Amino acid sequence: MAKTEDISFGYLLNDVTLLFRKHFDRRAVKFGLTRAQWRATKVLYHREGLRQTELAEYLEMEPIAVGRVIDRLQSAGFVERRPDPKDRRAWRLYTTDQARDVVADMEEIARGLRRDATQGISPDEMEQCLGVLTHIKDNLQRLEQQPAAENTD
């Protein structure tokens, strides 16, 4: 029997991610949002009032890159910047009614894609898969907390 470390799965995970993104982008093209713009809109929808630096942390992007995404979203009418009442140098980010309308449509697209991607997979199998992936993610995140010398074998 093979050891778990001898079973290669990284390329498969990457392929699944790329295919999911490709099919999502195809379905969402009618909204005119890039994936980065959609992700930023969705985070702000669920966490209204974030600062740009906080949004960058959630998106795991550089603040300057997030600033460009927000500029485009603001120009398109999806996001507005409001002054931070506690810091007059900072801005808080909020979604507009237009963005809130699109979020519901985008979540329906994601739900449909998940339905298509999981055809023939039972809810129990999906829960088990998610449990294993979460465990792998936790293991990898734990490596981030260790000094570099401890991460090598």
Side-chain angles (χ1 to χ4, degrees):
M1 179 178 262
K3 296 178 184 176
T4 54
E5 65 263 22
D6 294 332
I7 301 171
S8 180
F9 59 89
Y11 288 115
L12 178 60
L13 285 175
N14 187 56
D15 288 348
V16 169
T17 300
L18 291 174
L19 285 166
F20 206 92
R21 287 178 177 173
K22 179 173 87 172
H23 289 286
F24 183 88
D25 288 349
R26 282 183 184 167
R27 295 175 188 206
V29 71
K30 64 184 173 186
F31 297 107
L33 293 173
T34 66
R35 189 177 314 112
Q37 291 168 336
W38 160 238
R39 288 180 60 222
T41 301
K42 186 172 179 182
V43 168
L44 290 174
Y45 174 79
H46 292 289
R47 294 175 180 87
E48 294 274 348
L50 289 177
R51 288 182 174 184
Q52 183 174 311
T53 53
E54 295 167 329
L55 178 61
E57 289 176 22
Y58 277 107
L59 298 175
E60 296 180 354
M61 293 175 63
E62 292 298 319
I64 291 173
V66 170
R68 289 191 293 268
V69 169
I70 296 304
D71 288 344
R72 289 187 200 104
L73 286 170
Q74 187 175 18
S75 295
F78 288 98
V79 170
E80 60 183 38
R81 287 178 168 108
R82 297 181 196 161
D84 186 331
K86 296 178 183 172
D87 182 350
R88 55 184 198 179
R89 299 167 298 160
W91 297 92
R92 296 284 177 175
L93 304 169
Y94 296 86
T95 54
T96 62
D97 289 339
Q98 178 182 341
R100 288 186 283 279
D101 291 342
V102 170
V103 167
D105 292 335
M106 297 289 266
E107 287 181 344
E108 187 56 39
I109 287 172
R111 190 174 298 108
L113 181 54
R114 286 192 305 270
R115 182 178 50 248
D116 293 344
T118 58
Q119 284 184 6
I121 300 171
S122 74
D124 287 343
E125 289 172 313
M126 197 64 211
E127 288 295 331
Q128 183 178 8
C129 176
L130 291 174
V132 170
L133 290 173
T134 299
H135 195 133
I136 291 170
K137 179 182 176 183
D138 292 345
N139 288 341
L140 292 171
Q141 286 178 325
R142 206 170 9 264
L143 291 176
E144 294 292 315
Q145 298 167 3
Q146 298 174 2
E150 291 182 32
N151 289 338
T152 59
D153 281 319

